[in-house]
Amino acid sequence: MSDLLYSDTEEALRDSVRQLLADRCPPESVARAYDPEPQDFSGVWRTLAADLGVAGLLVPESLGGAGAGAREAAVVMEEIGRAVAPVPFLSSAVLATVALLRAGDTETVSALAQGELTAALVVPLSTAPGDPTTAVSGGADGLSGSVTSVAGAAEADVLVVPVAGPDGLELHTVPRAAAGVRVSPLVALDMTRPLADVSFSAAASSRVGPADGPVAEALRTGAALLASEQLGVAQWCFDTTLAYVKQRKQFGRAIGSYQAVKHRLADLWFEVGAATAAARYAADTCARDDEDAAVATALAQAYCSGIAVHAAEECVQLHGGIGMTWEYPAHLYLKRAKSDELIFGTAYRHRARLAELVDLPPS
């Protein structure tokens, strides 16, 4: 059994990422992602990717990466969740990087690891591990077709595209600014993780290799690590709400002294603790490529998504009137939690997948 406690290296990484996001992504800045002209957070991502080296956590040192693994990447995801940071770590440093790494595109992976490029895997963000992959058509004239709800496409330099080729699914790369490529940003519930529709019309591309295995591995890794982001959201909501009910007074008493509030927070504390175990185990099995990784990922996604939403809802409700205001950041966490609930498949989809993996017969 592997040790699920955080190592000194992981805690040092957490401290660096948390300090940077606290300085560069305070709640009042993150809320500007919803402005008619959203604030540009590309500088924050460049600092994270290049200066702190988080873009290369999943990339071997021989390719210019950190040579770390999913456990370290999960720590970064936790901190991104705690800050609802609008940075493309999941879309570029996880999904696109893992797909290209497994497909053998070492040149692009090296540039991604060093923060020189940002990429996006062109699949709907709702695609669950094991689901059929949406693909565009490839021919002599180039790529044609469209894919909806792609994360990180608008800020990506390179699009990593699954293509239906004559011999099966292939992985291609296309510069976002190439002729025949159109990226149309969408209005989403959570604007801190921008989505876009991507269409191709006779767009020239570079073939990387077969796509089935690389895309499946990218989705499995993304789903395993998303649980850590959901944990980060839930942990912030619990910590903030607990601090608030200790100092907010009604009728001369702190509202946290009332039994009903105590019960709600006790239940939430237990749920966040269980989510910590589930998310850590999913990240650890992913890092070790353990045979239990698929089960751990399905379990973490089936559980952690609902806990993040519950924690965010309790945060809004127990803050009372201030929790409903735009100026207070609770709404940012509720939107991220609700959005994350649909990423890589719903909790129902993961429960069904978990039942298949453990040979649980349908009722």
Side-chain angles (χ1 to χ4, degrees):
M1 176 66 70
S2 179
D3 186 358
L4 299 185
L5 297 177
Y6 297 98
S7 67
D8 291 342
T9 300
E10 291 165 356
E11 291 292 4
L13 175 62
R14 179 194 305 283
D15 291 342
S16 298
V17 174
R18 183 176 294 187
Q19 182 176 347
L20 173 65
L21 295 180
D23 292 341
R24 304 282 295 277
C25 288
E28 57 271 18
S29 294
V30 174
R32 297 192 189 110
Y34 295 86
D35 289 350
E37 295 185 6
Q39 181 170 327
D40 182 10
F41 292 94
S42 59
V44 179
W45 171 240
R46 283 194 297 271
T47 303
L48 271 174
D51 295 353
L52 294 188
V54 302
L57 286 176
L58 300 178
V59 178
E61 292 182 74
S62 59
L63 297 179
R71 285 176 59 118
E72 290 80 6
V75 169
V76 176
M77 288 290 285
E78 283 184 41
E79 293 308 309
I80 288 174
R82 285 184 68 96
V84 286
V87 294
F89 180 79
L90 177 64
S91 57
S92 182
V94 178
L95 293 178
T97 296
V98 170
L100 289 173
L101 188 61
R102 298 296 181 268
D105 188 348
T106 57
E107 182 178 351
T108 305
V109 167
S110 180
L112 291 173
Q114 296 174 52
E116 298 171 359
L117 295 176
T118 300
L121 181 63
V122 183
V123 297
L125 194 56
S126 59
T127 306
D131 283 356
T133 302
T134 301
V136 302
S137 301
D141 295 334
L143 305 184
S144 298
S146 61
V147 181
T148 60
S149 303
V150 178
E155 58 264 60
D157 302 300
V158 178
L159 301 177
V160 183
V161 191
V163 177
D167 300 320
L169 202 64
E170 302 174 346
L171 203 63
H172 289 227
T173 56
V174 184
R176 180 180 57 83
V181 177
R182 182 179 180 183
V183 178
S184 306
L186 300 174
V187 176
L189 172 65
D190 177 19
M191 292 300 288
T192 64
R193 176 168 283 140
L195 302 177
D197 291 340
V198 182
S199 60
F200 302 93
S201 178
S205 65
S206 299
R207 183 183 183 279
V208 178
D212 283 316
V215 172
E217 180 67 19
L219 292 174
R220 282 195 296 268
T221 304
L225 296 181
L226 180 66
S228 291
E229 177 177 287
Q230 292 164 334
L231 170 61
V233 170
Q235 190 69 63
W236 183 93
C237 291
F238 174 78
D239 292 344
T240 303
T241 305
L242 180 62
Y244 179 78
V245 300
K246 287 181 178 180
Q247 57 88 25
R248 177 70 170 93
K249 291 185 177 181
Q250 287 185 345
F251 307 109
R253 293 174 55 184
I255 62 173
S257 66
Y258 292 101
Q259 198 75 0
V261 176
K262 287 181 179 180
H263 286 171
R264 289 171 69 169
L265 284 173
D267 289 343
L268 189 57
W269 175 84
F270 175 82
E271 291 176 354
V272 172
T276 302
R280 286 294 290 169
Y281 186 59
D284 181 68
T285 55
C286 182
R288 293 185 288 109
D289 197 20
D290 190 274
E291 61 181 10
D292 202 30
V295 170
T297 297
L299 177 63
Q301 275 300 296
Y303 187 73
C304 293
S305 62
I307 300 308
V309 172
H310 182 214
E313 290 174 342
E314 291 287 66
C315 181
V316 171
Q317 293 174 17
L318 291 177
H319 275 77
I322 193 175
M324 307 290 179
T325 64
W326 185 265
E327 291 74 19
Y328 198 75
H331 68 97
L332 299 173
Y333 292 85
L334 181 57
K335 290 169 183 172
R336 175 62 70 93
K338 291 296 291 183
S339 175
D340 280 0
E341 200 175 26
L342 304 178
I343 295 177
F344 304 128
T346 62
Y348 174 84
R349 174 70 181 82
H350 289 286
R351 285 194 292 270
R353 174 61 175 158
L354 181 60
E356 296 172 3
L357 291 169
V358 299
D359 296 323
L360 181 67
S363 58

